[in-house]
Amino acid sequence: MSTPAPATATLLVSCRDRTGLVAALSDFVFRNGGNILDADQHAEVETGLFFMRLRWDLATFQLARPEIEMAIRVLAARYELEWELTYSDVRPRVAVFASKAPHCLYDLLLAHQLGELGGDLAVVVSNHEALRPVAGHFGVPFAHLPVAADDKAPAEARQQELLDQQRVDVVVLARYMQILSPEFVARWPARIINIHHSFLPAFVGARPYHQAQARGVKVIGATAHYVTSDLDQGPIIEQDVARVSHRDDVGELVRKGGELERRVLTRAVRLHLDRRVLVSGKRTIVFA
Amino acid sequence: MSTPAPATATLLVSCRDRTGLVAALSDFVFRNGGNILDADQHAEVETGLFFMRLRWDLATFQLARPEIEMAIRVLAARYELEWELTYSDVRPRVAVFASKAPHCLYDLLLAHQLGELGGDLAVVVSNHEALRPVAGHFGVPFAHLPVAADDKAPAEARQQELLDQQRVDVVVLARYMQILSPEFVARWPARIINIHHSFLPAFVGARPYHQAQARGVKVIGATAHYVTSDLDQGPIIEQDVARVSHRDDVGELVRKGGELERRVLTRAVRLHLDRRVLVSGKRTIVFA
Amino acid sequence: MSTPAPATATLLVSCRDRTGLVAALSDFVFRNGGNILDADQHAEVETGLFFMRLRWDLATFQLARPEIEMAIRVLAARYELEWELTYSDVRPRVAVFASKAPHCLYDLLLAHQLGELGGDLAVVVSNHEALRPVAGHFGVPFAHLPVAADDKAPAEARQQELLDQQRVDVVVLARYMQILSPEFVARWPARIINIHHSFLPAFVGARPYHQAQARGVKVIGATAHYVTSDLDQGPIIEQDVARVSHRDDVGELVRKGGELERRVLTRAVRLHLDRRVLVSGKRTIVFA
Amino acid sequence: MSTPAPATATLLVSCRDRTGLVAALSDFVFRNGGNILDADQHAEVETGLFFMRLRWDLATFQLARPEIEMAIRVLAARYELEWELTYSDVRPRVAVFASKAPHCLYDLLLAHQLGELGGDLAVVVSNHEALRPVAGHFGVPFAHLPVAADDKAPAEARQQELLDQQRVDVVVLARYMQILSPEFVARWPARIINIHHSFLPAFVGARPYHQAQARGVKVIGATAHYVTSDLDQGPIIEQDVARVSHRDDVGELVRKGGELERRVLTRAVRLHLDRRVLVSGKRTIVFA
């Protein structure tokens, strides 16, 4: 996963009736000279939906990319598929939104520098100047877009403009301390990843470490999820926890939690960029 | 910790002003020929309360037990202590309440058989007959006390009577599927330990695994807590978690959760019986 | 996973060249009216080997079992497959070997009673009488086969005879304190599962908790592995760990470790019985 | 722990006979107007040694620092104590040795910047130039001291000179890829902290991730330990682990392991700088 590799294609599909689908897709890859590298599938009992991720080698594949897309379109029509097709050499472009806390941003930037992220960091956007040197140190452009407390619309318009201009595919909220408007969120369905500093659904909303300390929990957590218009209710991609005790005051919870937040967020971003995450209603399927 | 040992005394104290308290207690033990085995303390910043656990060897101690208690009374008056004094050879007596699910009960009974619990299982109480053979296999008395759906008072009266008669010190709810009345709970403050099958405060109330599955969490948990009259709101003693994925249906969450429930409950019971738990409002101090 | 289900077929295969294999197997299932429930695969870079697990619904499948086997034989010849085909309604039969420690045995027996094991416990075999009541409580036959220190061959002959007579498929060593001879082990390749009380490869051999305590580790572990003629060197199926500290003496390590051992062993047995484990040299592929 | 606080004194002691020691030390603090903030103790059964950590508030303490030291000297003579006395406002100075891998260095530098380390980073020392910009970004001096493969003595002499000149208290090897000579190590007893990329004692020596992959473990780990002249045999301060599977090739183990290494090392350094670690032979006592 960490070494450069020849180009591969990844197809994500979901559909209602899968009869014959696996055979049809496998056969499509095989007949055209491809080699299946990963094939993961999941049938969701509650909804009757079927999800699949297929990744194959393009080195010996006999179809050109437009032909592949044409062929998938035909299959999609026959099996009524929702689908998404990507190529490993067309790297997704990521915008990171941050405020003043640097820890999650550093972790993403370092993962990127180490070649551990299957995408590129296009820009760091912040409502403060504080993190400009951090982005600069890693050679990533930084945009300071202040947000007015009483009217966030102009800031969001400038953010959207910047994202369009930078051809951004996914937005990562790395402890970004502003709530995005439903209109903004609606333009980025399953394309905004947030880190919440609790094991959701416990402690939604503000100051979760204070809530955790008051409740006297013995475990704290962090949750990376897609943003929807319901605060802290979006589909969960990844969670992790750490043990705490009565000795840990809020400051210590913040420190231990910060360690969790950064690694949970970076993991979730990596999973998303590797096209391992599908959304089904309020849940995710993660082909890890 | 698992081998038999000569008698020790354990003193738990809490107070408002600790100035000189540690010195006074240490000096008391030392001057009377005792050897301090454990000394744990905690100052709670939010409340200004101070908590301490002191355990010392009685083998060479020069005071008899009534004299020890007399001396502690004098210190308690001077320092305005809440206190509790116990001896390792006076084993607390435990009643386990269960319904039909056997897993938590087995774990407690086995821990007891292996000599891993610092107390004795006096009786298993159930509103069903199903677990009678389990108690019998381990040689623990079993009482079937049915609970009427429309009037629980008679059952609780018989339960209380049985607990009195058996000189029970602590009640453990091992997946007992009845809600105890506030009156019953009030008679056993910080003396009833429950296992809830979620990482509280997430998923309070009924069917937490169904709630967890619907929310799409990536981690499930179990929580052992003291029972108060607020459902699932009592002070948490111990929690633990397990990873789950989209592949885990509710049945699999129940299975993975069952593995968690039993070990979290048994750990909490052990901590309580070893006199390692103090309560401060909605929180516990656990000197593990 | 915990509810009874209509019969399914599970095919495990390994081979050298997989070109077209996934398509061929998928197509085989599809053309005969089957529904693929699970399809997991793994290409091992180091060896060039390819592994696959395919599970499909037999409810609507148009081939009878002898026909299925015939068809697989044809495919196996074409693709040079190693393969194993099983049916969910033909439950594997398990023999548990134990000595005096009851904790792992209880956990397996309870998992079986709760319907969480995809196999049946045919017999408990022990070189001591101590655990007879445990097997009896769960209604599983118990055989006391003493092992002479100076000549183990007669005992192993009687064990083998019993296993044959009981049509046993897999042997589980639940803290069985005798080393099996290479001859015995050779008759049960990847069919004997042992629990070792350390995170292998650390602390092979005797008294691993004493070794762990002497080395001052901060984490202890347990390892379930297939038994080979090299002591504690067989392919690892499952491992887990627990934190320890300087406060934990050897007795406490034994207690904490016992909690680990039982759940790691039961998990490994469940994975094996669900046909989720394939062996590749010294490693396992676990399609969990 | 993360907020600035008035000065405190921390006393670490070890001794053979503790009779009266706790009382004497508590009394010393109390009589001079101090307030005990932490008092941790441990009696090691195997060696008969007793260890204690006492931390008290200096705000109202009536003795000046030279007087405190004088008093401790008297107690130390009476009780035959090994002891170390430090003050929270005299921050230990840390040198970080690194080579080319940046992840552990970033984590330490970030923890320092966030005020989470109870010490100061005096200098980053490296046998390569690669990490100079990293140190520079965080405003920490960087020294490039090349090490000749055939004669390391001159480099070590320059390192020692630099450490002396910078008044360094502790050396942290943050994936430093050179083995220090026994002479160098002997000058820094329990003062050099290394991170080894396995859960020791498994996989000592070179390329532990390759070893782990070959052995097919299901868990990998990282170990922070004090360096002694026996390679990878020094007293362990902290360990942690992560689950892996057959899907993880060596590159992925390196990535997952890198996440472990950085947080285990930073935790160990924090524990050391907070004076929470005592050494007893091959083990540590960690008063966390």
Side-chain angles (χ1 to χ4, degrees):
Chain A
M1 201 170 271
S2 64
T3 48
T8 62
T10 300
L11 177 67
L12 299 180
V13 304
S14 64
C15 61
R16 197 145 287 282
D17 184 7
R18 59 184 150 147
T19 315
L21 175 64
V22 176
L25 288 172
S26 305
D27 191 57
F28 162 71
V29 174
F30 169 58
R31 271 187 301 103
N32 294 293
N35 192 11
I36 293 176
L37 300 171
D38 292 317
D40 295 286
Q41 48 179 79
H42 177 62
E44 201 172 52
V45 176
E46 298 79 6
T47 57
L49 292 174
F50 179 75
F51 302 88
M52 190 169 178
R53 177 180 185 267
L54 196 70
R55 194 168 70 92
W56 70 94
D57 204 335
L58 291 178
T60 58
F61 207 58
Q62 293 154 0
L63 300 187
R65 295 186 187 191
E67 295 172 300
I68 298 176
E69 273 149 55
M70 193 99 69
I72 301 290
R73 255 176 236 285
V74 172
L75 284 164
R78 189 190 319 159
Y79 291 98
E80 300 182 63
L81 304 180
E82 303 265 335
W83 60 285
E84 189 183 347
L85 177 68
T86 52
Y87 303 102
S88 62
D89 54 6
V90 182
R91 289 168 66 82
R93 290 173 61 77
V94 182
V96 182
F97 283 28
S99 290
K100 289 180 175 171
H103 56 291
C104 289
L105 179 60
Y106 267 114
D107 211 65
L108 287 163
L109 289 163
L110 180 57
H112 183 241
Q113 187 193 84
L114 294 172
E116 294 174 357
L117 282 194
D120 289 322
L121 298 186
V123 62
V124 174
V125 177
S126 181
N127 53 333
H128 294 283
E129 276 289 349
L131 299 178
R132 183 183 294 276
V134 180
H137 171 65
F138 287 92
V140 174
F142 178 89
H144 176 210
L145 301 183
V147 179
D150 54 347
D151 184 7
K152 301 187 174 185
E156 287 198 346
R158 293 177 60 197
Q159 288 168 346
Q160 182 64 48
E161 192 180 3
L162 181 63
L163 299 179
D164 291 341
Q165 173 197 321
Q166 289 285 337
R167 290 163 293 111
V168 163
D169 296 290
V170 57
V171 174
V172 177
L173 308 184
R175 298 299 313 274
Y176 180 63
M177 304 303 277
Q178 298 287 331
I179 294 175
L180 300 170
S181 72
E183 294 71 34
F184 189 95
V185 169
R187 278 196 297 273
W188 294 86
R191 299 280 165 161
I192 308 175
I193 300 173
N194 184 45
I195 182 73
H196 183 75
H197 37 318
S198 80
F199 49 91
L200 289 174
F203 309 130
V204 300
R207 295 162 70 88
Y209 294 126
H210 288 78
Q211 295 183 54
Q213 208 274 337
R215 181 62 187 91
V217 294
K218 301 302 184 188
V219 163
I220 59 168
T223 304
H225 63 95
Y226 289 118
V227 175
T228 62
S229 52
D230 287 338
L231 187 67
D232 301 333
Q233 300 295 319
I236 294 170
I237 305 168
E238 172 69 347
Q239 299 186 287
D240 209 344
V241 300
R243 291 191 75 81
V244 297
S245 82
H246 62 271
R247 291 174 187 257
D248 297 313
D249 59 16
V250 170
E252 185 66 6
L253 296 189
V254 167
R255 193 193 61 69
K256 286 190 175 177
E259 195 187 74
L260 279 176
E261 294 159 25
R262 68 186 95 169
R263 65 181 201 254
V264 169
L265 179 60
T266 298
R267 271 188 222 159
V269 171
R270 186 184 307 109
L271 290 167
H272 177 94
L273 294 176
D274 288 347
R275 316 288 185 183
R276 295 178 179 277
V277 190
L278 292 106
V279 172
S280 173
K282 289 187 64 169
R283 289 190 294 242
T284 60
I285 289 94
V286 180
F287 290 127
Chain B
M1 203 169 271
S2 63
T3 47
T8 62
T10 301
L11 177 68
L12 298 179
V13 304
S14 64
C15 62
R16 197 144 286 282
D17 184 7
R18 59 182 150 148
T19 315
L21 175 65
V22 176
L25 287 172
S26 305
D27 191 56
F28 162 71
V29 174
F30 169 59
R31 272 186 301 103
N32 293 294
N35 192 13
I36 293 176
L37 299 171
D38 292 318
D40 295 287
Q41 50 179 78
H42 176 62
E44 201 171 52
V45 176
E46 298 80 5
T47 58
L49 292 174
F50 179 75
F51 302 88
M52 190 170 179
R53 177 181 185 266
L54 197 69
R55 193 168 70 94
W56 70 93
D57 204 335
L58 291 178
T60 59
F61 208 58
Q62 293 154 1
L63 300 187
R65 295 187 188 190
E67 295 172 301
I68 298 175
E69 274 149 57
M70 194 99 71
I72 302 291
R73 257 176 235 286
V74 172
L75 284 163
R78 189 190 319 159
Y79 291 98
E80 299 183 63
L81 303 180
E82 304 265 335
W83 60 285
E84 189 183 348
L85 177 67
T86 53
Y87 303 102
S88 62
D89 54 7
V90 181
R91 289 168 65 82
R93 291 173 62 77
V94 182
V96 182
F97 283 28
S99 290
K100 288 180 176 171
H103 57 290
C104 289
L105 180 60
Y106 267 114
D107 211 65
L108 286 164
L109 289 163
L110 179 57
H112 182 240
Q113 188 193 84
L114 295 172
E116 294 174 357
L117 282 193
D120 289 321
L121 298 186
V123 62
V124 174
V125 177
S126 181
N127 53 332
H128 295 282
E129 276 289 350
L131 299 178
R132 183 183 294 276
V134 180
H137 171 65
F138 287 91
V140 174
F142 179 90
H144 176 210
L145 300 184
V147 180
D150 54 347
D151 183 7
K152 301 186 175 185
E156 288 198 346
R158 293 176 61 196
Q159 288 168 346
Q160 182 64 48
E161 193 179 2
L162 181 63
L163 299 178
D164 290 342
Q165 174 197 319
Q166 289 286 338
R167 290 164 294 112
V168 163
D169 296 290
V170 58
V171 174
V172 176
L173 308 184
R175 298 299 313 276
Y176 180 62
M177 305 300 278
Q178 298 286 331
I179 294 175
L180 300 170
S181 72
E183 294 71 34
F184 188 95
V185 169
R187 277 196 298 274
W188 295 86
R191 299 279 164 162
I192 308 175
I193 299 173
N194 184 46
I195 182 74
H196 184 75
H197 37 318
S198 81
F199 49 91
L200 289 174
F203 309 130
V204 299
R207 296 163 68 90
Y209 294 126
H210 288 78
Q211 295 183 54
Q213 208 273 338
R215 182 62 187 89
V217 293
K218 301 302 184 189
V219 163
I220 58 169
T223 304
H225 63 94
Y226 288 118
V227 174
T228 62
S229 51
D230 288 338
L231 187 66
D232 300 333
Q233 300 294 320
I236 293 169
I237 305 168
E238 171 69 347
Q239 299 186 289
D240 210 345
V241 300
R243 291 191 74 82
V244 297
S245 83
H246 61 271
R247 291 173 187 256
D248 297 313
D249 59 16
V250 170
E252 185 66 5
L253 296 189
V254 168
R255 194 195 60 68
K256 286 189 175 177
E259 194 187 74
L260 279 176
E261 294 159 24
R262 69 185 95 168
R263 67 181 201 253
V264 169
L265 180 60
T266 298
R267 269 188 224 160
V269 171
R270 187 184 306 109
L271 290 167
H272 177 93
L273 295 176
D274 288 347
R275 316 288 185 183
R276 294 178 178 277
V277 190
L278 291 106
V279 172
S280 174
K282 289 186 66 170
R283 292 190 293 241
T284 60
I285 289 94
V286 180
F287 290 128
Chain C
M1 203 169 270
S2 64
T3 48
T8 62
T10 300
L11 178 67
L12 298 179
V13 305
S14 65
C15 61
R16 197 144 287 282
D17 183 7
R18 60 183 150 147
T19 314
L21 175 64
V22 177
L25 287 172
S26 306
D27 191 56
F28 162 71
V29 174
F30 169 59
R31 272 188 300 101
N32 294 293
N35 191 12
I36 293 176
L37 300 170
D38 292 317
D40 295 286
Q41 50 180 78
H42 177 62
E44 201 171 53
V45 176
E46 297 81 5
T47 58
L49 291 175
F50 179 74
F51 302 88
M52 190 170 178
R53 177 180 185 265
L54 197 68
R55 193 169 71 91
W56 71 94
D57 204 334
L58 290 179
T60 57
F61 208 57
Q62 292 154 1
L63 298 187
R65 295 186 187 191
E67 295 172 301
I68 298 175
E69 273 149 56
M70 195 98 70
I72 301 291
R73 257 176 235 286
V74 173
L75 285 163
R78 189 190 318 159
Y79 292 97
E80 298 183 65
L81 304 180
E82 304 266 334
W83 60 285
E84 188 182 348
L85 177 68
T86 53
Y87 303 103
S88 62
D89 54 6
V90 181
R91 290 168 65 82
R93 291 173 61 77
V94 181
V96 182
F97 283 27
S99 289
K100 289 180 176 172
H103 56 291
C104 289
L105 179 60
Y106 267 114
D107 211 65
L108 287 164
L109 289 163
L110 179 58
H112 182 240
Q113 187 194 83
L114 294 172
E116 294 175 356
L117 282 194
D120 290 320
L121 298 186
V123 62
V124 173
V125 177
S126 181
N127 53 333
H128 295 282
E129 276 289 350
L131 298 177
R132 182 183 294 276
V134 180
H137 171 65
F138 287 91
V140 174
F142 179 89
H144 177 210
L145 301 183
V147 180
D150 54 347
D151 184 6
K152 300 186 174 187
E156 288 198 345
R158 293 176 60 199
Q159 288 168 346
Q160 182 64 48
E161 191 180 4
L162 181 63
L163 299 178
D164 291 342
Q165 172 197 321
Q166 289 285 337
R167 291 163 293 112
V168 163
D169 297 290
V170 57
V171 174
V172 176
L173 309 184
R175 299 298 312 274
Y176 180 63
M177 305 301 278
Q178 297 286 332
I179 294 175
L180 300 170
S181 72
E183 294 71 34
F184 189 95
V185 169
R187 277 195 298 273
W188 295 86
R191 299 279 165 162
I192 307 175
I193 300 173
N194 184 45
I195 182 73
H196 184 75
H197 38 318
S198 81
F199 49 90
L200 289 174
F203 309 131
V204 299
R207 297 163 68 88
Y209 294 126
H210 288 78
Q211 294 183 54
Q213 208 274 339
R215 182 61 187 88
V217 293
K218 302 301 184 190
V219 163
I220 59 168
T223 305
H225 63 95
Y226 289 117
V227 174
T228 62
S229 52
D230 287 339
L231 187 66
D232 302 332
Q233 300 294 321
I236 294 170
I237 305 169
E238 171 68 349
Q239 298 186 289
D240 209 345
V241 300
R243 291 190 75 81
V244 296
S245 84
H246 61 272
R247 293 174 187 256
D248 297 313
D249 59 17
V250 170
E252 185 65 7
L253 297 188
V254 167
R255 193 194 62 69
K256 286 189 175 177
E259 195 187 74
L260 279 176
E261 294 158 24
R262 68 184 97 168
R263 65 180 202 254
V264 169
L265 179 60
T266 298
R267 271 188 223 160
V269 171
R270 186 183 309 110
L271 290 166
H272 177 94
L273 294 176
D274 288 347
R275 318 288 185 183
R276 294 178 179 277
V277 189
L278 291 106
V279 172
S280 174
K282 288 187 66 169
R283 289 191 294 240
T284 60
I285 289 94
V286 180
F287 290 127
Chain D
M1 201 170 273
S2 64
T3 47
T8 62
T10 300
L11 177 67
L12 299 179
V13 304
S14 65
C15 61
R16 198 143 287 282
D17 183 6
R18 59 181 150 150
T19 314
L21 175 65
V22 177
L25 287 172
S26 306
D27 191 56
F28 162 72
V29 174
F30 169 59
R31 272 186 301 102
N32 293 293
N35 192 14
I36 293 175
L37 300 170
D38 292 317
D40 295 286
Q41 49 180 78
H42 177 62
E44 201 171 54
V45 176
E46 297 80 6
T47 58
L49 291 175
F50 179 75
F51 302 88
M52 190 170 179
R53 177 180 186 266
L54 196 69
R55 193 169 71 94
W56 70 94
D57 204 334
L58 291 179
T60 58
F61 208 57
Q62 293 154 2
L63 299 187
R65 295 186 187 189
E67 295 171 302
I68 298 175
E69 273 148 57
M70 194 100 71
I72 301 291
R73 256 175 235 287
V74 173
L75 284 163
R78 190 189 321 159
Y79 291 97
E80 298 182 64
L81 304 180
E82 305 265 334
W83 60 285
E84 188 182 349
L85 177 68
T86 54
Y87 303 102
S88 61
D89 54 6
V90 182
R91 291 169 65 81
R93 291 174 62 79
V94 181
V96 183
F97 283 27
S99 290
K100 289 180 176 171
H103 56 290
C104 289
L105 180 60
Y106 267 114
D107 211 65
L108 287 164
L109 289 164
L110 179 58
H112 183 240
Q113 187 193 85
L114 294 172
E116 295 174 356
L117 281 194
D120 290 320
L121 298 186
V123 62
V124 174
V125 177
S126 182
N127 53 332
H128 296 281
E129 276 289 350
L131 299 177
R132 182 183 294 276
V134 180
H137 171 66
F138 287 90
V140 174
F142 179 89
H144 176 210
L145 301 183
V147 179
D150 54 347
D151 184 6
K152 301 187 175 186
E156 288 198 346
R158 293 176 61 197
Q159 288 169 346
Q160 182 65 47
E161 191 180 3
L162 181 63
L163 298 178
D164 291 342
Q165 173 198 321
Q166 289 285 338
R167 291 163 294 112
V168 163
D169 297 290
V170 58
V171 174
V172 176
L173 309 184
R175 300 297 314 275
Y176 181 62
M177 305 301 278
Q178 298 286 331
I179 294 175
L180 300 170
S181 72
E183 294 71 33
F184 189 94
V185 169
R187 276 195 298 274
W188 294 87
R191 299 280 164 160
I192 307 175
I193 299 173
N194 183 45
I195 182 73
H196 183 75
H197 37 318
S198 81
F199 49 92
L200 289 174
F203 308 130
V204 299
R207 296 163 67 89
Y209 295 126
H210 289 77
Q211 295 183 53
Q213 209 273 339
R215 182 60 187 89
V217 293
K218 302 300 183 189
V219 163
I220 59 168
T223 304
H225 63 94
Y226 289 117
V227 174
T228 62
S229 52
D230 287 338
L231 187 67
D232 301 333
Q233 300 295 319
I236 293 170
I237 305 169
E238 171 69 348
Q239 298 186 290
D240 209 346
V241 300
R243 292 191 73 82
V244 297
S245 83
H246 61 271
R247 292 175 187 256
D248 297 313
D249 59 16
V250 170
E252 184 65 6
L253 296 189
V254 167
R255 194 195 60 69
K256 286 189 175 177
E259 195 187 73
L260 278 176
E261 294 159 23
R262 68 184 96 168
R263 67 181 201 254
V264 169
L265 179 60
T266 299
R267 270 188 223 159
V269 171
R270 187 184 307 110
L271 291 166
H272 177 93
L273 294 176
D274 289 346
R275 317 288 185 184
R276 295 178 178 277
V277 190
L278 291 107
V279 172
S280 174
K282 289 187 66 169
R283 290 191 294 242
T284 60
I285 289 94
V286 180
F287 290 127

